[in-house]
Amino acid sequence: MNFIRKFYYGDIPDQKGSDEIKDAKNPLAGGRGAGHDWPLWEVFIRSKQGLDHKHAGSLHAADSQMAIENARDVYTRRMEGVSIWVVESKYIHASSPDEAASLYEPANDKVYRHPTFYDLPDEVNHM
Amino acid sequence: MPVQDFEQLFQDKIDNEIKIEPKDWMPEAYRKTNIRQISQHAHSEIVGMLPEGNWISRAPSLKRKAILLAKVQDEAGHGLYLYSAAETLGMPREEMINDLHSGKAKYSSIFNYPTLTWADIGAIGWLVDGAAIMNQVMLTRTSYGPYARAMVRICKEESFHQRQGFEILLVLSRGTTAQKAMCQDAINRWWWPALMMFGPKDSESTNSDQSMKWKIKRKTNDELRQNFVDMIAEQIKTLGMKLPDDQLKWNTERKHYDFGEIDWDEFWQVVKGNGPCNKQRLEARRKAWENGEWVREAAAAYARKRADRQKDKAA
């Protein structure tokens, strides 16, 4: 398969880059004091009282307080939340998609856990 | 499992409209294409703040100023959603910003045009955001999950942007002779660059296209551009203005508007860095980054201090 790539809005290939500016001085050389010092945080937002916090996205911040303030500015500019949780991304442990088949296998053959498994006469209502 | 099988499984997922998530196996080229596209999209949002920022201090009223501030703040937020989405593919934030500042990474060429009058702010909202929305609505269904979710969020916010732009022009179009002329002038200058936002014509590529096969994109440049022309050609009637294209005409057979040829030389010139404001835009971004260094340092120092204080308290 030999595909020719097309150029789309928001996706200009590297080789079509500028001849003029590529020699510009790299402002990040050394990276001192850059935002990369700041850890990544995952943001969870409760959209209204009575609902669960839901993952909204992530951002960088120096500490938890700054993460909450940034989350307010980035994710709740239109009253999308009444409560914010932030947790440093490194503390999130996730299941591996490669092991999904075996991980969820125990639930696979237990159809009797679903109400539709049971055949009841039509005259039985509200059950 | 051999790589071909992984690729087949991957393509099956795409074909069955199952989203790809960060930890899933994906072909390297899929990862790279997404990183490039999402980061360029992010850069576009960030650089896109500059032409509009030019008018924050000169907005004609407090109301317009507050609206423009909110809109520019939204663009910053959109940039952050997108940088985060690109980071899920293993691309560090610092490297993306570095690539923007060195000129290696690209952003939408539209932002290399200057904003000469207040009417330009209206034209940007209506035409530039309007064109971006065409693309972004399609991208809410893109195959990479974090990108699609960022797009849903962005699209919710974008419609305010387009409406406020149209309203600016609507007010001008009902104003004095000078205001009407300013409105028409802005439309004349922004129309063709807005059409260029959709990229080169489909006919420039005859083979099947990988981005479509992977459902990163779901419509071609020409399809999106045609949808945009059809929409704008109708909306402009409300403004009582004219699009600067003699060949613009409803085609009863195609059920679409025909329109004139884009100046592709200009398009590639601006992409290559020779647009009216390319240098100015990058310089503004670099300067903002350099001038912000003390803020980043201070925040890091403050965070350290606070962490130490908490440790002392706990001890």
Side-chain angles (χ1 to χ4, degrees):
Chain A
M1 280 186 297
N2 190 15
F3 293 104
I4 290 182
R5 287 205 54 257
K6 274 193 257 175
F7 315 123
Y8 291 104
Y9 167 58
D11 185 22
I12 304 152
D14 298 337
Q15 64 268 27
K16 290 280 181 187
S18 154
D19 330 309
E20 290 236 349
I21 36 191
K22 69 182 161 216
D23 297 327
K25 143 178 172 299
N26 175 357
L28 289 181
R32 192 171 56 92
H36 72 281
D37 291 323
W38 297 351
L40 190 66
W41 300 77
E42 299 300 321
V43 178
F44 299 83
I45 294 185
R46 186 200 294 286
S47 58
K48 64 177 196 182
Q49 290 297 113
L51 295 182
D52 293 321
H53 284 78
K54 199 176 149 201
H55 187 238
S58 55
L59 47 76
H60 290 267
D63 61 15
S64 58
Q65 191 182 328
M66 186 179 178
I68 287 175
E69 283 161 10
N70 286 356
R72 176 202 60 193
D73 291 343
V74 177
Y75 293 107
T76 66
R77 286 194 302 281
R78 289 176 176 77
M79 312 285 293
E80 289 98 334
V82 294
S83 165
I84 297 173
W85 286 351
V86 292
V87 64
E88 253 192 87
S89 307
K90 67 178 179 192
Y91 294 122
I92 302 246
H93 302 271
S95 60
S96 161
D98 301 336
E99 289 156 17
S102 59
L103 187 66
Y104 302 112
E105 196 277 330
N108 232 347
D109 57 354
K110 297 179 180 61
V111 280
Y112 46 82
R113 282 191 160 140
H114 297 278
T116 45
F117 179 74
Y118 303 92
D119 265 336
L120 299 186
D122 288 346
E123 58 266 30
V124 182
N125 287 324
H126 303 297
M127 191 185 285
Chain B
M1 234 187 309
V3 171
Q4 289 94 318
D5 292 352
F6 277 118
E7 287 203 359
Q8 192 52 54
L9 281 175
F10 174 82
Q11 190 61 49
D12 288 348
K13 267 197 200 166
I14 302 261
D15 294 343
N16 290 315
E17 300 292 335
I18 296 172
K19 296 277 185 236
I20 306 302
E21 294 295 342
K23 295 182 84 183
D24 295 348
W25 187 91
M26 62 186 85
E28 249 340 272
Y30 178 83
R31 182 184 301 274
K32 274 198 183 140
T33 302
N34 264 300
I35 287 177
R36 188 181 50 242
Q37 186 180 319
I38 299 170
S39 62
Q40 286 182 1
H41 200 157
H43 297 325
S44 301
E45 299 284 353
I46 298 300
V47 178
M49 292 193 282
L50 297 172
E52 293 184 298
N54 185 32
W55 282 90
I56 289 176
S57 59
R58 286 180 268 168
S61 68
L62 188 58
K63 177 184 115 179
R64 293 294 181 192
K65 184 173 178 164
I67 292 171
L68 188 55
L69 264 174
K71 179 178 189 293
V72 171
Q73 196 191 8
D74 273 355
E75 311 293 2
H78 297 176
L80 289 175
Y81 303 154
L82 288 161
Y83 280 132
S84 298
E87 279 175 284
T88 63
L89 289 161
M91 180 68 165
R93 175 83 59 101
E94 184 199 12
E95 201 176 322
M96 286 187 267
I97 292 176
N98 199 355
D99 286 349
L100 173 67
H101 292 179
S102 72
K104 185 184 167 208
K106 298 288 141 221
Y107 53 87
S108 183
S109 283
I110 192 80
F111 303 117
N112 291 317
Y113 289 86
T115 42
L116 304 179
T117 70
W118 170 250
D120 287 17
I121 300 305
I124 287 181
W126 178 42
L127 297 176
V128 176
D129 289 321
I133 289 169
M134 285 279 157
N135 186 52
Q136 292 176 156
V137 166
M138 167 192 74
L139 286 171
T140 60
R141 297 190 303 124
T142 192
S143 58
Y144 186 56
Y147 193 20
R149 291 192 286 274
M151 278 301 132
V152 169
R153 212 178 282 280
I154 287 172
C155 282
K156 272 188 204 157
E157 301 182 351
E158 282 285 355
S159 71
F160 135 57
H161 296 181
Q162 199 188 10
R163 288 172 71 102
Q164 67 88 34
F166 190 80
E167 197 215 7
I168 288 175
L169 295 183
L170 191 63
V171 170
L172 290 174
S173 74
R174 292 170 179 173
T176 63
T177 314
Q179 285 170 328
K180 284 179 187 163
M182 186 166 81
C183 179
Q184 182 64 59
D185 168 64
I187 293 168
N188 291 349
R189 281 182 292 107
W190 287 94
W191 172 245
W192 291 106
L195 286 190
M196 292 177 201
M197 287 172 68
F198 297 99
K201 285 197 284 193
D202 296 345
S203 56
E204 298 216 342
S205 163
T206 47
N207 290 11
S208 61
D209 174 41
Q210 188 68 76
S211 278
M212 296 286 275
K213 185 161 175 268
W214 279 336
K215 295 187 183 167
I216 297 174
K217 296 278 177 168
R218 287 168 177 270
K219 286 183 178 179
T220 69
N221 293 354
D222 283 344
E223 282 170 351
L224 288 168
R225 185 161 25 231
Q226 183 70 61
N227 292 346
F228 178 69
V229 171
D230 292 346
M231 179 179 84
I232 298 296
E234 287 301 315
Q235 290 173 352
I236 198 165
K237 292 176 183 169
T238 310
L239 294 178
M241 298 282 144
K242 274 179 90 172
L243 291 173
D245 181 355
D246 297 338
Q247 294 172 56
L248 187 83
K249 204 178 151 211
W250 178 252
N251 183 325
T252 42
E253 262 170 53
R254 287 201 313 128
K255 300 261 185 278
H256 287 294
Y257 276 91
D258 291 336
F259 55 98
E261 186 64 27
I262 288 167
D263 180 351
W264 294 110
D265 286 342
E266 178 182 328
F267 173 78
W268 287 115
Q269 281 300 323
V270 183
V271 168
K272 282 180 183 152
N274 303 322
C277 300
N278 293 57
K279 281 188 182 149
Q280 196 184 328
R281 300 293 184 234
L282 272 188
E283 263 163 37
R285 285 316 310 158
R286 288 195 203 113
K287 215 172 107 194
W289 181 261
E290 281 162 16
N291 291 347
E293 182 163 323
W294 71 270
V295 179
R296 295 191 294 277
E297 274 177 4
Y302 182 62
R304 268 195 306 275
K305 217 162 133 186
R306 194 153 49 185
D308 288 346
R309 220 179 295 143
Q310 268 168 358
K311 235 185 280 163
D312 289 348
K313 239 190 250 167

PDB file of all heavy atoms in Angstrom, chain A residues 18-28, chain B residues 43 95-106 282 285-286:
ATOM      1  N   SER A  18       8.819  25.906   6.775  1.00  0.00           N
ATOM      2  CA  SER A  18       9.413  27.162   6.371  1.00  0.00           C
ATOM      3  C   SER A  18      10.913  27.042   6.134  1.00  0.00           C
ATOM      4  O   SER A  18      11.595  26.316   6.826  1.00  0.00           O
ATOM      5  CB  SER A  18       9.156  28.179   7.466  1.00  0.00           C
ATOM      6  OG  SER A  18      10.137  29.158   7.429  1.00  0.00           O
ATOM      7  N   ASP A  19      11.426  27.759   5.145  1.00  0.00           N
ATOM      8  CA  ASP A  19      12.876  27.811   4.974  1.00  0.00           C
ATOM      9  C   ASP A  19      13.450  28.934   5.822  1.00  0.00           C
ATOM     10  O   ASP A  19      14.619  28.975   6.115  1.00  0.00           O
ATOM     11  CB  ASP A  19      13.263  28.104   3.514  1.00  0.00           C
ATOM     12  CG  ASP A  19      12.239  27.579   2.549  1.00  0.00           C
ATOM     13  OD1 ASP A  19      11.907  26.398   2.675  1.00  0.00           O
ATOM     14  OD2 ASP A  19      11.770  28.357   1.697  1.00  0.00           O
ATOM     15  N   GLU A  20      12.580  29.865   6.168  1.00  0.00           N
ATOM     16  CA  GLU A  20      13.040  31.104   6.777  1.00  0.00           C
ATOM     17  C   GLU A  20      13.348  30.975   8.242  1.00  0.00           C
ATOM     18  O   GLU A  20      14.293  31.553   8.742  1.00  0.00           O
ATOM     19  CB  GLU A  20      11.944  32.160   6.625  1.00  0.00           C
ATOM     20  CG  GLU A  20      11.772  32.609   5.214  1.00  0.00           C
ATOM     21  CD  GLU A  20      11.919  34.105   5.108  1.00  0.00           C
ATOM     22  OE1 GLU A  20      11.933  34.755   6.166  1.00  0.00           O
ATOM     23  OE2 GLU A  20      12.026  34.590   3.982  1.00  0.00           O
ATOM     24  N   ILE A  21      12.477  30.264   8.953  1.00  0.00           N
ATOM     25  CA  ILE A  21      12.537  30.390  10.394  1.00  0.00           C
ATOM     26  C   ILE A  21      13.147  29.181  11.087  1.00  0.00           C
ATOM     27  O   ILE A  21      13.272  29.170  12.283  1.00  0.00           O
ATOM     28  CB  ILE A  21      11.136  30.641  10.975  1.00  0.00           C
ATOM     29  CG1 ILE A  21      10.121  29.868  10.200  1.00  0.00           C
ATOM     30  CG2 ILE A  21      10.837  32.114  10.973  1.00  0.00           C
ATOM     31  CD1 ILE A  21       8.687  30.232  10.512  1.00  0.00           C
ATOM     32  N   LYS A  22      13.559  28.192  10.308  1.00  0.00           N
ATOM     33  CA  LYS A  22      13.969  26.991  11.027  1.00  0.00           C
ATOM     34  C   LYS A  22      15.308  27.149  11.738  1.00  0.00           C
ATOM     35  O   LYS A  22      15.639  26.371  12.610  1.00  0.00           O
ATOM     36  CB  LYS A  22      13.977  25.778  10.098  1.00  0.00           C
ATOM     37  CG  LYS A  22      15.036  25.767   9.044  1.00  0.00           C
ATOM     38  CD  LYS A  22      14.880  24.515   8.181  1.00  0.00           C
ATOM     39  CE  LYS A  22      15.597  24.686   6.880  1.00  0.00           C
ATOM     40  NZ  LYS A  22      14.937  24.073   5.761  1.00  0.00           N
ATOM     41  N   ASP A  23      16.063  28.179  11.354  1.00  0.00           N
ATOM     42  CA  ASP A  23      17.337  28.400  12.035  1.00  0.00           C
ATOM     43  C   ASP A  23      17.199  29.289  13.266  1.00  0.00           C
ATOM     44  O   ASP A  23      18.172  29.578  13.934  1.00  0.00           O
ATOM     45  CB  ASP A  23      18.341  29.051  11.078  1.00  0.00           C
ATOM     46  CG  ASP A  23      18.639  28.132   9.914  1.00  0.00           C
ATOM     47  OD1 ASP A  23      18.625  26.915  10.132  1.00  0.00           O
ATOM     48  OD2 ASP A  23      18.867  28.632   8.795  1.00  0.00           O
ATOM     49  N   ALA A  24      15.973  29.712  13.512  1.00  0.00           N
ATOM     50  CA  ALA A  24      15.774  30.615  14.648  1.00  0.00           C
ATOM     51  C   ALA A  24      16.331  30.009  15.926  1.00  0.00           C
ATOM     52  O   ALA A  24      16.330  28.801  16.107  1.00  0.00           O
ATOM     53  CB  ALA A  24      14.294  30.906  14.812  1.00  0.00           C
ATOM     54  N   LYS A  25      16.770  30.857  16.760  1.00  0.00           N
ATOM     55  CA  LYS A  25      17.364  30.413  18.019  1.00  0.00           C
ATOM     56  C   LYS A  25      16.324  29.672  18.830  1.00  0.00           C
ATOM     57  O   LYS A  25      15.172  30.076  18.931  1.00  0.00           O
ATOM     58  CB  LYS A  25      17.885  31.669  18.724  1.00  0.00           C
ATOM     59  CG  LYS A  25      17.748  31.719  20.230  1.00  0.00           C
ATOM     60  CD  LYS A  25      18.369  33.032  20.692  1.00  0.00           C
ATOM     61  CE  LYS A  25      18.156  33.341  22.150  1.00  0.00           C
ATOM     62  NZ  LYS A  25      16.881  33.506  22.708  1.00  0.00           N
ATOM     63  N   ASN A  26      16.720  28.578  19.382  1.00  0.00           N
ATOM     64  CA  ASN A  26      15.804  27.770  20.163  1.00  0.00           C
ATOM     65  C   ASN A  26      15.625  28.390  21.549  1.00  0.00           C
ATOM     66  O   ASN A  26      16.528  28.373  22.359  1.00  0.00           O
ATOM     67  CB  ASN A  26      16.379  26.352  20.281  1.00  0.00           C
ATOM     68  CG  ASN A  26      15.537  25.493  21.192  1.00  0.00           C
ATOM     69  OD1 ASN A  26      14.564  25.957  21.768  1.00  0.00           O
ATOM     70  ND2 ASN A  26      15.922  24.239  21.316  1.00  0.00           N
ATOM     71  N   PRO A  27      14.439  28.920  21.803  1.00  0.00           N
ATOM     72  CA  PRO A  27      14.240  29.639  23.064  1.00  0.00           C
ATOM     73  C   PRO A  27      14.229  28.707  24.271  1.00  0.00           C
ATOM     74  O   PRO A  27      14.325  29.161  25.391  1.00  0.00           O
ATOM     75  CB  PRO A  27      12.881  30.303  22.875  1.00  0.00           C
ATOM     76  CG  PRO A  27      12.170  29.435  21.904  1.00  0.00           C
ATOM     77  CD  PRO A  27      13.220  28.848  21.013  1.00  0.00           C
ATOM     78  N   LEU A  28      14.110  27.419  24.009  1.00  0.00           N
ATOM     79  CA  LEU A  28      14.005  26.500  25.137  1.00  0.00           C
ATOM     80  C   LEU A  28      15.299  25.758  25.410  1.00  0.00           C
ATOM     81  O   LEU A  28      15.342  24.880  26.251  1.00  0.00           O
ATOM     82  CB  LEU A  28      12.898  25.482  24.868  1.00  0.00           C
ATOM     83  CG  LEU A  28      11.489  26.043  24.915  1.00  0.00           C
ATOM     84  CD1 LEU A  28      10.505  24.936  24.665  1.00  0.00           C
ATOM     85  CD2 LEU A  28      11.234  26.686  26.255  1.00  0.00           C
TER      86      LEU A  28
ATOM     87  N   HIS B  43      -1.464  24.632  18.333  1.00  0.00           N
ATOM     88  CA  HIS B  43      -0.696  25.847  18.027  1.00  0.00           C
ATOM     89  C   HIS B  43      -1.589  26.892  17.354  1.00  0.00           C
ATOM     90  O   HIS B  43      -1.470  28.087  17.614  1.00  0.00           O
ATOM     91  CB  HIS B  43       0.473  25.533  17.085  1.00  0.00           C
ATOM     92  CG  HIS B  43       1.483  24.593  17.660  1.00  0.00           C
ATOM     93  ND1 HIS B  43       1.820  24.573  18.994  1.00  0.00           N
ATOM     94  CD2 HIS B  43       2.266  23.641  17.077  1.00  0.00           C
ATOM     95  CE1 HIS B  43       2.746  23.637  19.201  1.00  0.00           C
ATOM     96  NE2 HIS B  43       3.026  23.053  18.060  1.00  0.00           N
ATOM     97  N   GLU B  95       8.162  19.883  24.293  1.00  0.00           N
ATOM     98  CA  GLU B  95       8.668  19.657  22.945  1.00  0.00           C
ATOM     99  C   GLU B  95       7.754  20.315  21.905  1.00  0.00           C
ATOM    100  O   GLU B  95       8.224  20.864  20.900  1.00  0.00           O
ATOM    101  CB  GLU B  95       8.755  18.152  22.698  1.00  0.00           C
ATOM    102  CG  GLU B  95       9.701  17.785  21.573  1.00  0.00           C
ATOM    103  CD  GLU B  95       9.835  16.281  21.434  1.00  0.00           C
ATOM    104  OE1 GLU B  95       9.862  15.580  22.478  1.00  0.00           O
ATOM    105  OE2 GLU B  95       9.902  15.807  20.292  1.00  0.00           O
ATOM    106  N   MET B  96       6.449  20.266  22.168  1.00  0.00           N
ATOM    107  CA  MET B  96       5.511  20.891  21.226  1.00  0.00           C
ATOM    108  C   MET B  96       5.742  22.398  21.171  1.00  0.00           C
ATOM    109  O   MET B  96       5.771  23.000  20.098  1.00  0.00           O
ATOM    110  CB  MET B  96       4.069  20.606  21.655  1.00  0.00           C
ATOM    111  CG  MET B  96       3.631  19.186  21.382  1.00  0.00           C
ATOM    112  SD  MET B  96       1.879  18.956  21.723  1.00  0.00           S
ATOM    113  CE  MET B  96       1.919  18.393  23.419  1.00  0.00           C
ATOM    114  N   ILE B  97       5.896  22.991  22.348  1.00  0.00           N
ATOM    115  CA  ILE B  97       6.089  24.446  22.404  1.00  0.00           C
ATOM    116  C   ILE B  97       7.418  24.813  21.757  1.00  0.00           C
ATOM    117  O   ILE B  97       7.522  25.782  20.996  1.00  0.00           O
ATOM    118  CB  ILE B  97       5.980  24.918  23.866  1.00  0.00           C
ATOM    119  CG1 ILE B  97       4.542  24.744  24.320  1.00  0.00           C
ATOM    120  CG2 ILE B  97       6.427  26.370  24.013  1.00  0.00           C
ATOM    121  CD1 ILE B  97       4.291  25.077  25.754  1.00  0.00           C
ATOM    122  N   ASN B  98       8.405  23.999  22.040  1.00  0.00           N
ATOM    123  CA  ASN B  98       9.718  24.154  21.420  1.00  0.00           C
ATOM    124  C   ASN B  98       9.618  24.142  19.889  1.00  0.00           C
ATOM    125  O   ASN B  98      10.182  24.999  19.198  1.00  0.00           O
ATOM    126  CB  ASN B  98      10.583  22.993  21.912  1.00  0.00           C
ATOM    127  CG  ASN B  98      12.045  23.272  21.717  1.00  0.00           C
ATOM    128  OD1 ASN B  98      12.405  24.284  21.133  1.00  0.00           O
ATOM    129  ND2 ASN B  98      12.884  22.375  22.197  1.00  0.00           N
ATOM    130  N   ASP B  99       8.870  23.167  19.359  1.00  0.00           N
ATOM    131  CA  ASP B  99       8.719  23.034  17.906  1.00  0.00           C
ATOM    132  C   ASP B  99       7.997  24.233  17.300  1.00  0.00           C
ATOM    133  O   ASP B  99       8.303  24.654  16.187  1.00  0.00           O
ATOM    134  CB  ASP B  99       7.952  21.752  17.554  1.00  0.00           C
ATOM    135  CG  ASP B  99       8.809  20.505  17.741  1.00  0.00           C
ATOM    136  OD1 ASP B  99      10.037  20.667  17.940  1.00  0.00           O
ATOM    137  OD2 ASP B  99       8.268  19.391  17.698  1.00  0.00           O
ATOM    138  N   LEU B 100       7.038  24.768  18.046  1.00  0.00           N
ATOM    139  CA  LEU B 100       6.340  25.957  17.550  1.00  0.00           C
ATOM    140  C   LEU B 100       7.315  27.129  17.465  1.00  0.00           C
ATOM    141  O   LEU B 100       7.406  27.824  16.455  1.00  0.00           O
ATOM    142  CB  LEU B 100       5.177  26.317  18.476  1.00  0.00           C
ATOM    143  CG  LEU B 100       4.480  27.647  18.161  1.00  0.00           C
ATOM    144  CD1 LEU B 100       3.755  27.582  16.819  1.00  0.00           C
ATOM    145  CD2 LEU B 100       3.493  28.037  19.260  1.00  0.00           C
ATOM    146  N   HIS B 101       8.068  27.311  18.546  1.00  0.00           N
ATOM    147  CA  HIS B 101       8.945  28.484  18.620  1.00  0.00           C
ATOM    148  C   HIS B 101      10.120  28.405  17.650  1.00  0.00           C
ATOM    149  O   HIS B 101      10.629  29.425  17.201  1.00  0.00           O
ATOM    150  CB  HIS B 101       9.458  28.665  20.056  1.00  0.00           C
ATOM    151  CG  HIS B 101       8.370  29.042  21.006  1.00  0.00           C
ATOM    152  ND1 HIS B 101       8.581  29.238  22.345  1.00  0.00           N
ATOM    153  CD2 HIS B 101       7.043  29.262  20.816  1.00  0.00           C
ATOM    154  CE1 HIS B 101       7.444  29.563  22.930  1.00  0.00           C
ATOM    155  NE2 HIS B 101       6.497  29.570  22.025  1.00  0.00           N
ATOM    156  N   SER B 102      10.549  27.194  17.337  1.00  0.00           N
ATOM    157  CA  SER B 102      11.687  27.062  16.422  1.00  0.00           C
ATOM    158  C   SER B 102      11.218  27.142  14.970  1.00  0.00           C
ATOM    159  O   SER B 102      12.028  27.207  14.056  1.00  0.00           O
ATOM    160  CB  SER B 102      12.401  25.736  16.660  1.00  0.00           C
ATOM    161  OG  SER B 102      11.610  24.672  16.172  1.00  0.00           O
ATOM    162  N   GLY B 103       9.922  27.120  14.744  1.00  0.00           N
ATOM    163  CA  GLY B 103       9.394  27.180  13.384  1.00  0.00           C
ATOM    164  C   GLY B 103       9.226  25.801  12.761  1.00  0.00           C
ATOM    165  O   GLY B 103       8.794  25.679  11.630  1.00  0.00           O
ATOM    166  N   LYS B 104       9.555  24.754  13.512  1.00  0.00           N
ATOM    167  CA  LYS B 104       9.432  23.401  12.969  1.00  0.00           C
ATOM    168  C   LYS B 104       7.952  23.011  12.838  1.00  0.00           C
ATOM    169  O   LYS B 104       7.540  22.453  11.831  1.00  0.00           O
ATOM    170  CB  LYS B 104      10.153  22.410  13.887  1.00  0.00           C
ATOM    171  CG  LYS B 104      10.173  20.996  13.349  1.00  0.00           C
ATOM    172  CD  LYS B 104      10.819  20.029  14.331  1.00  0.00           C
ATOM    173  CE  LYS B 104      10.531  18.601  13.911  1.00  0.00           C
ATOM    174  NZ  LYS B 104      10.526  17.673  15.067  1.00  0.00           N
ATOM    175  N   ALA B 105       7.182  23.328  13.866  1.00  0.00           N
ATOM    176  CA  ALA B 105       5.759  22.997  13.828  1.00  0.00           C
ATOM    177  C   ALA B 105       4.998  24.101  13.112  1.00  0.00           C
ATOM    178  O   ALA B 105       5.412  25.250  13.109  1.00  0.00           O
ATOM    179  CB  ALA B 105       5.225  22.830  15.242  1.00  0.00           C
ATOM    180  N   LYS B 106       3.907  23.738  12.521  1.00  0.00           N
ATOM    181  CA  LYS B 106       3.084  24.695  11.776  1.00  0.00           C
ATOM    182  C   LYS B 106       1.821  25.017  12.559  1.00  0.00           C
ATOM    183  O   LYS B 106       1.444  24.317  13.483  1.00  0.00           O
ATOM    184  CB  LYS B 106       2.693  24.108  10.420  1.00  0.00           C
ATOM    185  CG  LYS B 106       3.863  23.822   9.528  1.00  0.00           C
ATOM    186  CD  LYS B 106       4.474  25.096   8.994  1.00  0.00           C
ATOM    187  CE  LYS B 106       5.973  24.987   8.973  1.00  0.00           C
ATOM    188  NZ  LYS B 106       6.675  26.175   9.405  1.00  0.00           N
ATOM    189  N   LEU B 282       5.386  34.581  15.417  1.00  0.00           N
ATOM    190  CA  LEU B 282       6.317  33.717  16.142  1.00  0.00           C
ATOM    191  C   LEU B 282       7.111  34.510  17.170  1.00  0.00           C
ATOM    192  O   LEU B 282       7.362  34.039  18.277  1.00  0.00           O
ATOM    193  CB  LEU B 282       7.266  33.019  15.169  1.00  0.00           C
ATOM    194  CG  LEU B 282       6.758  31.697  14.609  1.00  0.00           C
ATOM    195  CD1 LEU B 282       7.842  31.002  13.814  1.00  0.00           C
ATOM    196  CD2 LEU B 282       6.261  30.785  15.735  1.00  0.00           C
ATOM    197  N   ARG B 285       5.040  34.961  20.228  1.00  0.00           N
ATOM    198  CA  ARG B 285       4.963  33.748  21.047  1.00  0.00           C
ATOM    199  C   ARG B 285       6.255  33.529  21.830  1.00  0.00           C
ATOM    200  O   ARG B 285       6.250  33.183  22.997  1.00  0.00           O
ATOM    201  CB  ARG B 285       4.689  32.514  20.187  1.00  0.00           C
ATOM    202  CG  ARG B 285       3.272  32.348  19.674  1.00  0.00           C
ATOM    203  CD  ARG B 285       2.203  32.619  20.690  1.00  0.00           C
ATOM    204  NE  ARG B 285       2.412  31.916  21.946  1.00  0.00           N
ATOM    205  CZ  ARG B 285       1.896  32.280  23.110  1.00  0.00           C
ATOM    206  NH1 ARG B 285       1.138  33.345  23.215  1.00  0.00           N
ATOM    207  NH2 ARG B 285       2.126  31.582  24.196  1.00  0.00           N
ATOM    208  N   ARG B 286       7.390  33.728  21.138  1.00  0.00           N
ATOM    209  CA  ARG B 286       8.673  33.529  21.826  1.00  0.00           C
ATOM    210  C   ARG B 286       8.840  34.516  22.965  1.00  0.00           C
ATOM    211  O   ARG B 286       9.289  34.172  24.049  1.00  0.00           O
ATOM    212  CB  ARG B 286       9.826  33.712  20.838  1.00  0.00           C
ATOM    213  CG  ARG B 286       9.957  32.574  19.859  1.00  0.00           C
ATOM    214  CD  ARG B 286      11.318  32.653  19.178  1.00  0.00           C
ATOM    215  NE  ARG B 286      11.260  31.946  17.911  1.00  0.00           N
ATOM    216  CZ  ARG B 286      11.366  32.527  16.724  1.00  0.00           C
ATOM    217  NH1 ARG B 286      11.574  33.831  16.641  1.00  0.00           N
ATOM    218  NH2 ARG B 286      11.291  31.814  15.628  1.00  0.00           N
TER     219      ARG B 286
END
